[in-house]
Amino acid sequence: MNIISIVTTPYSDQKPGTSGLRKKVTVFQQPHYLENFVQSIFNVVPELKNHLLILGGDGRFYNARALQTILKIAAANGIKRVMVGEQGLLSTPAVSCLIRKYHAAGGIILSASHNPGGVNGDFGIKFNSANGGPAPTSLTNKIYDISKNIKTYQIAETGDISLDTQQSSYLGDMRVDVINSVNDYANLMQQLFDFSTIKTLFTSRAFSMCFDAMHAVTGPYAKEIFENRLSANIDAVINGVPLEDFGGTHPDPNLAHTSELIARLNTGINAAEFGAASDGDGDRNMILGRNFFVNPSDSLAIMTANAHLLPGYSQGLRGAARSLPTSRAVDKVSEEIGIDCYETPTGWKYFGNLLDDKRITLCGEESFGSGSDHIREKDGIWAVLFWLNLIAIKQQSVEEITRSHWKRYGRHYYTRHDYEAINSDTAETLVQNLRNQTSSLIGNQYGNYKVLLCDDFSYTDPVDNSLTEKLGIRVIFEDESRIIFRLSGTGTEGSTLRIYIEKYVRDPALHERATQTVLAELITIANTIADIENHFGRSHPDAIT
Ligand code: G1P
Ligand code: ZN
């Protein structure tokens, strides 16, 4: 096998965001664009040499081409062995599971998560470290620095390797194992949850579920786990075949993109009792009951309150963590059961140290993400199994479980308003204006709400003491209500402003109200404080979650 060194010119825009390097497919198709970034990873992580690398993606357009390029660059850079999923498919949680199980030096995931795919869609690449989690900012900054000055990359001159079936072969000295994408992950799930109790739920009465794989990576995982191992109803998985363009749909598990799933739950005499969906790469989850939506922040709190009932967590929890904009529902539970609860910046990578240092067992984000110390990524199918196991033990519906949780701990009404694809300078100005006002807002009275605290959130990692700043403007009111403003770090077009609004209501008699109504006054206050209308010429968001 011939290894050649290719002379290249650096790109200036290869700075990874909240979760890896994400760009339009057309950006990745520029000459040497992918190669430069991959070589930068190998330059920064010399441990990969002579070690094992896990490789896979969510099946979106450009995966197939990128996998072959990465394999050839890996062979040229002295990687000893690569395990790659059959058809190139591996969900993000499965990559994390495999890195840990086989003691790999790292993994490369090809995905743009919940962003649309296809020729005109998005593509992404993310490096995960030996702990199975997303590379920390210190590492992604180094990769970015190298990419800005890269002059050459090494690549093997060889034909493509077939990824169609499980087999082992060699690219020069590098062994390539094409493995079953699902088995190791499914076996891990079987250790954490009580599969026999869940199976009984499906077989002993007419309980049925519907899982929307959204034409993305979780289809094969869901079929093996729900249909084969748990004997769920035969039509439990919809949109279960991964497609390069996700069937032209948006693989984002929220109410706006799952009409088929919602119909299966809410109509007909055979309507499913339990519904769920995951995203492009399988790390997100949405949980639904019949005519009932579980807010992801509530889901994290409910998991924290009930984890001790499940086999994998019967020893109790070490602690919990949530990202800054996630509601404080989990804080209430943590306080009551006497565990620490950490508030971290947005992005799963910030949970890694807390998990590795055994400070927490569960963690989650408002953006349909939850997970535990079983891997170092959030995990969509894991969350679905968690809920199924709870339903099977409690013999209660999703709605009953959620309502009784609110009754006990109080309810956090919660919404997120997104202003998408806005001019980046306008967005920066808005955030800078907010930053300038933080101290002067304290003590201000807006209608029924008085500002108790206002700052630009910064985070000192309690494990390695690293400081991260400018993470979002927090406005906290005297009654525990909060408004958070921050700019998205995953978009590929202009900027997105996210406004997160939350209000805590203790009294169960007031838990039946509509979220947007309860939060209406706070929404107006948020718009006033940020002067939305003046900056954007409108005060209605593009998306409300
Ligand atoms: C979004 C979510 C964040 C999540 C990330 C990756 O990032 O808000 O919670 O970790 O996607 O899935 P954002 O676009 O807000 O930076
Ligand atoms: Zn994702």
Side-chain angles (χ1 to χ4, degrees), residues 22 92 111-114 279-284 378:
R22 241 177 243 184
T92 290
S111 170
S113 187
H114 52 290
D279 69 330
D281 62 329
D283 57 358
R284 294 188 172 205
K378 58 186 177 244

Side-chain angles (χ1 to χ4, degrees), residues 19 22 58 60 92-93 111-115 126 251-253 278-285 367-368 377-378:
S19 186
R22 241 177 243 184
D58 63 6
R60 69 178 59 225
T92 290
S111 170
S113 187
H114 52 290
N115 293 14
K126 188 168 94 161
D252 192 359
S278 189
D279 69 330
D281 62 329
D283 57 358
R284 294 188 172 205
N285 75 87
S367 51
F368 298 86
E377 287 280 2
K378 58 186 177 244

